[in-house]
Structure formats: C-alpha cells, structure tokens
Amino acid sequence: MSYTYEYPRPSLTVDCVVFGLDDDDLKVLLIQRGVEPFEGRWALPGGFVKMDESLEAAARRELEEESGLRPGHLEQLFTFGEPDRDPRGRVITVAYFALVKLSAHSLRAATDAREAAWFSVWDTPKLAFDHADILNTALQRLKGKVRYQPIGFELLPPKFTLTQLQRLYEVVLERELDKRNFRKKILAMDLLEELDEVEQDVSHRAARLYRFDHKKYRQLEKAGFNFEL
Amino acid sequence: MSYTYEYPRPSLTVDCVVFGLDDDDLKVLLIQRGVEPFEGRWALPGGFVKMDESLEAAARRELEEESGLRPGHLEQLFTFGEPDRDPRGRVITVAYFALVKLSAHSLRAATDAREAAWFSVWDTPKLAFDHADILNTALQRLKGKVRYQPIGFELLPPKFTLTQLQRLYEVVLERELDKRNFRKKILAMDLLEELDEVEQDVSHRAARLYRFDHKKYRQLEKAGFNFEL
DNA sequence: GACTCGGGTGTGCTCCGGACACTATGCCGG
DNA sequence: CCGGCATAGTGTCCGGAGCACACCCGAGTC
C-alpha cells in the first residue's frame, strides 16, 4: 500500500519530554534508538502520528508503548520544524511536556526492545536530532509554569511532606527558598489537606504528610484565584 | 508531478492570528476565503508550508502574500491537529501569533484576490475551520503575555503617549487601570524615552510623546530584570 | 475670557514578601 | 537511661510595593 499526493508532504511525529523527580534530582526519560539515524544515541520518546488520532493521543500512545508511563500532566510544548532537523527528510515534530510521579511507576521495558532510562536533566548524554533544544525548551517551560500553576504536585507522590515540596521547587527553580516563608505561603493558599499521618522509616523526627486538594483548587480557580509561588 | 509515500501523511499549514490596535479597539486580521471549503467565510491568513522553509518563514511568507504585512512581533502559538478539523482530510496547522503597528501599515489587496480586513476581536464573523478556537487561544496568550513582556509596544506607533499605552493595556486586559499608578510603574522601569515632542491636532492640552527603548530593555533583560505590569 | 477636555502630578495607608533563629520531637548509640 | 543528632516546625519585624484618592495645568474652542 502506498499513498500519492500532488504536493510533497512532511512527516509528522510527536516527542515527549517526561520529567520525574527523584529526591533532589530532576530526571528526564530517554530511550535509546535502535535504528538509524542516530542508532544507539539517546533520544526523547516519540514517534509518528497516526492519521486518525489527535496529537495529544499520539503523544500518550507513544509514551505508553515506549515506557509504559501514563503521565499525570501532559501539555503541548512547541512544534519544531526546521527543514534540516531530521536527516531522513522533512519531519515536523510536535513536542509534548509531561510530568509523572516517579515514585509510582517502574519503567517497563520498551516494546520494541529499545532501552528506556531516567537521566538527570543536568547531565544527559548527547541527544539525537534537535532533542537537546526540545529538552531545553521544556525545562524553561517547567521553570516558568511551576510558579503560577500547581503542576509541581504531579511530580510528587500523593502524600508528601512540606520539605519534599520545597525541595521540588528548589530543584526546579535552581535556587534556595526560605523554609518559613515557603510554608506560610503554601499553607495560606489552603490547597493542602493536612493528613493524620507522618512519614515512616526515618531516623529522626517524622514530618507530617499532606495531600494536594485538586477539588478545592478547581473551585478556587473558577472563582478567579491564581496560584502563585 | 506527484509524490508517493509508504505511509499516509497529513498536510501541514500555518495560520496567523494578527492583532492590531485601533484606538480603543483590538483588531484581528481576517481574509475571506475564495475557494471551497468554507468559500466566502472569513478565516485567519495562512497556507501550506513549503518543503524547504521553516515554519516561521512560512508564517511570514503567507502573511506577506495575503496582506502585505510584516509583523513587529511573531511567535509560535499552538499546533492544532484534531483529525476532523478540516473536511478535506487530515491537516495539521501550526498557529502563529503576531502583532503589528496598525498605524504604520495599510492593507494591501491580497494577491489572490481574496479580501483582507480588520475586525474587532470582540465581534468577528463566523470563522472557517477551527479558527475561532485559534483566535481564542491567541487572545488568552496576548492577555497573559502582555503583562510580563513588553510586546504591547509593537501595537503602538513608534511615538506614543502614556494615555495611549494605558488604553492598550486596558483594552487587552479588559479592565480599567489607575492612571497615576500606571504612570508611576511604567516610568519607574526606565524603559521609556521621553521625547521633546507632544501630540498634534488635538483639541485639548497635548500629551507628551514617548518612545520605547529596545536597547535599554535588552540590557536590563540580560541583567535579570523582569518586565512586569 | 470663559469653558471644556484630557494631561499631568504626590501622599498616605495597607498589605505582602523577605530576612531571620530558636525550640520540639523522635531515633540511635553508648 | 541519657546525650547527641538530624530534621520538623514555628513568629516577628521591617521595608517596599500596590492601591486609593483629588486637584491644578495647558491648549484649543466658541
């Protein structure tokens, strides 16, 4: 089966930049390419868009196929379409930006035998295509967005301590925050549910656990409230 | 000449949402379609991407061809790719968002005889395809972006009064601002060059003219300064 | 020369953000 | 059992920014 058109057409792919948080390290999911071009190189997970699926559905599908992950947050990032970005010819890629709770998932072997692994975003191997640009763009987006939308919670386990939350912001924003001011501010928003539980298995005083209240956030959002840290 | 591929491929277009400011009204550029589908309907300017041009270049080219405009600001907005968004088949469109100084340009007749015209963004005719969604997305982007990046100046003539500038923000943000606070804030940024000129042909006291100092802005930007209104 | 229409200016109060250091609690090891 | 250690958890003060507010100015018109 083949397809013929009057004018040439580019290929269309999606690529996903998936972030996860591992204690004090921000990780990105990469897969090792099993075919040319860039065979053996690490790259962002992604692939071709099917003719009857939406772009976002394609991103979810590729991510599921290549890593087994189902992200808690997924949004379109940017479309990369420089004519020479792929040596095989004109390929446009719609990049997506995703967050997963690293604690909750273990990586499944990719279906097509390529390896998938988490890398620190500050120390990635050389990437295929223009994927370094894409990763960079995603990092900027994360940095910008985390401050005025409560998406950071998608990186943490459902129950977390305030210190974990603060660490998350410190890692993403690349600067230290004052503990008291941070707690004051985040608690004042009244978006965290204080649980009757504390963390387990620590060799010091255990911290209280909190949960993010999605329902309350949606209510406040409707009422014109703006999350801002 | 025809082109044959092993797998089906979508078509790729760009569409531009071009905003201009006409006194107290925010305008968007639309063109009237001369061919099916949606013949006679108004739509965003745009067209197919050539195989050897970048996405942004395609946006600029289409805009120039269909209206003669060269925008002062152009950035990628979002990529729309729902499978059914175009009745002719699968068409992905990369939407761009542009600002022009309406004062400086007159609309050239479109080369392909379709009509181009400015419409108030609050009162547009029914648009072709999903262009109403695209316009909406662009409006949100403009609203969000104008507050923390000095792109609003691209909508004003090179020399403008503070009242004009304030009106611009009021129109875009859809709320009134306090005159004194606005002036205090914008002047405190030290980004406006006060000229030795005043506006002409007004039947009341003439207001002083200012110019935006791009060079100074780039300096401050490098030094970590954040525009914010 | 009086009127009209926007232009242009300063102050005080309030609230928010940021700097800052000590006590509390639980575990561990000696 | 007691002391040490590691992190949890908490309140105050100060300065600057945001906001509300009202009057005189200058130019053109009639």
Side-chain angles (χ1 to χ4, degrees), chain B residues 195-214:
Chain B
L195 302 176
D196 281 331
E197 292 176 68
V198 294
E199 56 180 346
Q200 301 295 321
D201 301 320
V202 287
S203 68
H204 52 76
R205 177 177 172 182
R208 180 166 297 272
L209 292 171
Y210 290 81
R211 192 188 314 169
F212 179 67
D213 191 338
H214 286 87

Side-chain angles (χ1 to χ4, degrees), chain A residues 6-20:
Chain A
E6 191 173 350
Y7 296 99
R9 296 184 176 189
S11 300
L12 182 69
T13 61
V14 288
D15 285 304
C16 298
V17 183
V18 189
F19 292 115

Side-chain angles (χ1 to χ4, degrees), chain B residues 16 18 29 45 58-69 71 98:
Chain B
C16 298
V18 188
L29 179 69
R60 287 187 194 279
R61 178 181 52 74
E62 287 288 347
L63 197 52
E64 168 90 36
E65 285 177 11
E66 298 190 349
S67 68
L69 291 177

Side-chain angles (χ1 to χ4, degrees), chain B residues 82-206:
Chain B
E82 291 301 311
D84 58 357
R85 61 174 292 282
D86 190 316
R88 291 168 295 187
R90 189 80 197 261
V91 181
I92 307 302
T93 194
V94 183
Y96 278 79
F97 159 83
L99 303 178
V100 300
K101 298 184 199 298
L102 222 166
S103 54
H105 300 276
S106 59
L107 278 186
R108 204 180 60 196
T111 53
D112 47 2
R114 286 179 284 179
E115 197 182 350
W118 293 100
F119 288 82
S120 167
V121 297
W122 318 117
D123 185 24
T124 58
K126 197 167 184 191
L127 298 184
F129 306 106
D130 53 358
H131 287 189
D133 289 343
I134 301 180
L135 173 56
N136 225 350
T137 306
L139 262 175
Q140 299 310 323
R141 177 82 134 247
L142 176 61
K143 263 191 189 174
K145 196 138 192 177
V146 88
R147 297 194 50 200
Y148 62 92
Q149 264 192 251
I151 55 172
F153 301 98
E154 301 300 335
L155 288 168
L156 292 176
K159 300 172 182 179
F160 51 85
T161 69
L162 292 183
T163 301
Q164 280 180 293
L165 185 60
Q166 183 179 342
R167 285 271 155 71
L168 155 64
Y169 278 92
E170 289 179 337
V171 169
V172 170
L173 299 176
E174 289 183 280
R175 65 192 176 91
E176 299 204 336
L177 302 172
D178 179 85
K179 181 161 69 161
R180 274 169 295 191
N181 293 332
F182 181 82
R183 284 164 185 250
K184 214 189 313 175
K185 215 160 158 183
I186 199 87
L187 290 175
M189 288 183 201
D190 202 27
L191 283 171
L192 297 187
E193 190 183 347
E194 183 175 332
L195 302 176
D196 281 331
E197 292 176 68
V198 294
E199 56 180 346
Q200 301 295 321
D201 301 320
V202 287
S203 68
H204 52 76
R205 177 177 172 182

Side-chain angles (χ1 to χ4, degrees), chain A residues 3 5 9 53 79 90, chain B residues 3 5 9 53 79 90:
Chain A
Y3 299 83
Y5 305 110
R9 296 184 176 189
E53 74 185 345
T79 299
R90 189 80 198 262
Chain B
Y3 298 84
Y5 305 109
R9 295 184 177 188
E53 74 185 344
T79 298
R90 189 80 197 261

Side-chain angles (χ1 to χ4, degrees), chain A residues 54-147:
Chain A
S54 72
L55 299 171
E56 185 176 318
R60 288 188 194 278
R61 177 181 53 74
E62 287 289 345
L63 196 53
E64 168 90 35
E65 284 177 13
E66 297 190 351
S67 69
L69 291 178
R70 291 209 252 145
H73 178 84
L74 181 74
E75 67 177 51
Q76 199 187 103
L77 176 64
F78 198 82
T79 299
F80 295 79
E82 290 302 310
D84 58 355
R85 61 175 292 282
D86 190 315
R88 293 168 293 188
R90 189 80 198 262
V91 180
I92 307 302
T93 195
V94 182
Y96 277 79
F97 159 85
L99 302 178
V100 299
K101 297 185 199 296
L102 223 165
S103 54
H105 300 275
S106 59
L107 276 187
R108 204 179 63 195
T111 53
D112 48 4
R114 286 178 283 179
E115 197 181 350
W118 293 98
F119 288 82
S120 167
V121 296
W122 317 117
D123 185 24
T124 58
K126 197 168 182 189
L127 299 183
F129 307 105
D130 54 358
H131 286 190
D133 289 343
I134 301 180
L135 173 56
N136 226 347
T137 305
L139 262 175
Q140 298 312 324
R141 175 83 134 246
L142 176 62
K143 262 191 188 175
K145 195 138 193 176
V146 88
R147 296 193 51 201

